[in-house]
């Protein structure tokens, strides 16, 4: 199996998608090099004990992000699962710019349903609840699409805790609604990377077998 180098932004101690990706990599592709940027030093130490290369800091730190990209090398693949908090777009823009400068060629960006041209599919309640975050992520999508990087963008539905189902689906150019487990999303992310599916496309991701409970 070919070794790959992954740089994961958005790994947190809250067991989100980025963390699930790092764990699944260690489980399924232990020969891959995995580099993460985290904010918490204690959590970073826990990951380092698993053999994951860790850096402590914030994705808005341009010099740090540039250093990570340069150390990883141009064949590295960036995965960004940064959340929707204020500043998401700025952080994503820094990541993409630093990747370009370091000669990194591939990136997988996780945003959400409702971004970009799927904005019209959001209900008014959804727009009021998390519309700001969706708009920030939409800006990040455009910045990546107009960069020098080959990319794939995943727009998951509502994220839930649960095990891998193997039933998550990727859809293009059609309206979908639903949810997906974070571990299942992590599986899809790793499958895209393992199969080199950086096709400059955007996919909506849901598990059609899961019931949406509002």
């Amino acid at each position: 199996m070919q070794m790959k180098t992954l740089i994961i932004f958005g790994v947190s101690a809250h067991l989100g998608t980025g963390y699930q990706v790092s764990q699944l990599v260690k489980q399924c592709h232990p020969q891959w090099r995995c580099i993460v940027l985290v904010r918490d030093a204690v959590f970073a130490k826990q990951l380092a004990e698993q053999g994951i290369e860790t850096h402590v800091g914030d994705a808005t730190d341009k010099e740090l992000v540039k250093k990570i990209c340069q150390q990883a090398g141009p064949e590295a693949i960036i995965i960004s699962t940064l959340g929707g908090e204020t500043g998401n777009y700025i952080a994503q823009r820094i990541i993409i710019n630093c990747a370009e400068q370091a000669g990194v060629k591939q990136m997988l960006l996780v945003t959400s349903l409702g971004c970009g041209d799927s904005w019209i599919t959001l209900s008014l309640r959804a727009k009021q609840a998390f519309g700001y975050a969706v708009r920030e992520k939409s800006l990040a999508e455009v910045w990546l699409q107009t960069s020098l990087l080959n990319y794939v963008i995943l727009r998951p539905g509502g994220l839930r805790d649960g095990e891998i189902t193997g039933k998550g689906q990727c859809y293009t150019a059609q309206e979908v609604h639903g949810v997906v487990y974070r571990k299942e999303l992590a599986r899809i992310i790793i499958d895209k990377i393992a199969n080199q599916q950086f096709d400059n496309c955007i996919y909506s991701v849901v598990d059609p077998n899961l019931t949406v409970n509002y």
Side-chain angles (χ1 to χ4, degrees):
M1 294 284 292
Q2 181 184 10
M3 191 189 102
K4 296 182 183 295
T5 296
L6 307 184
I7 309 172
I8 310 175
F9 295 96
V11 177
S12 73
H14 302 298
L15 308 184
T17 302
Y19 174 79
Q20 301 299 347
V21 171
S22 73
Q23 297 305 293
L24 203 53
V25 167
K26 298 307 295 180
Q27 178 183 334
C28 300
H29 300 280
Q31 75 279 14
W32 290 7
R33 181 185 177 195
C34 192
I35 305 166
V36 302
L37 175 63
V38 299
R39 292 175 176 172
D40 183 84
V42 174
F43 182 54
K45 183 179 179 181
Q46 294 172 359
L47 294 176
E49 289 171 351
Q50 298 177 8
I52 296 172
E53 296 179 44
T54 61
H55 296 263
V56 179
D58 192 275
T60 57
D61 184 339
K62 185 186 302 183
E63 292 306 313
L64 177 57
V65 174
K66 184 190 299 184
K67 173 186 171 185
I68 292 170
C69 290
Q70 290 173 341
Q71 289 181 349
E75 299 306 313
I77 298 167
I78 291 176
I79 303 168
S80 180
T81 65
L82 289 172
E85 66 272 7
T86 301
N88 178 284
Y89 167 57
I90 298 300
Q92 304 281 26
R93 194 173 74 181
I94 288 171
I95 292 167
I96 294 163
N97 290 352
C98 289
E100 285 183 319
Q101 292 165 12
V104 175
K105 305 175 185 67
Q106 297 176 317
M107 179 169 176
L108 185 149
L109 174 64
V110 177
T111 59
S112 64
L113 287 184
C115 286
D117 57 0
S118 65
W119 173 261
I120 60 173
T121 67
L122 287 183
S123 66
L124 178 59
R125 186 177 70 171
K127 290 176 181 177
Q128 292 171 337
F130 48 86
Y132 187 91
V134 170
R135 292 167 71 191
E136 288 239 344
K137 292 177 180 180
S138 297
L139 290 171
E141 287 186 352
V142 173
W143 200 262
L144 179 57
Q145 288 174 295
T146 54
S147 74
L148 299 175
L149 302 174
N150 292 319
Y151 64 86
V152 59
I153 296 172
L154 301 182
R155 294 174 176 168
L159 294 172
R160 303 286 188 270
D161 292 328
E163 298 303 314
I164 292 173
T165 65
K167 304 292 186 180
Q169 298 293 321
C170 295
Y171 303 85
T172 58
Q174 67 183 94
E175 180 178 342
V176 297
H177 299 273
V179 299
V180 63
Y181 292 148
R182 291 177 178 86
K183 287 185 179 181
E184 176 65 9
L185 177 58
R187 179 195 68 78
I188 291 170
I189 290 169
I190 291 174
D191 281 354
K192 291 285 185 187
I193 291 169
N195 294 307
Q196 284 294 114
Q197 293 180 352
F198 293 89
D199 51 9
N200 298 339
C201 289
I202 298 175
Y203 297 91
S204 298
V205 183
V206 298
D207 188 332
N209 294 281
L210 297 181
T211 302
V212 182
N213 295 314
Y214 293 106

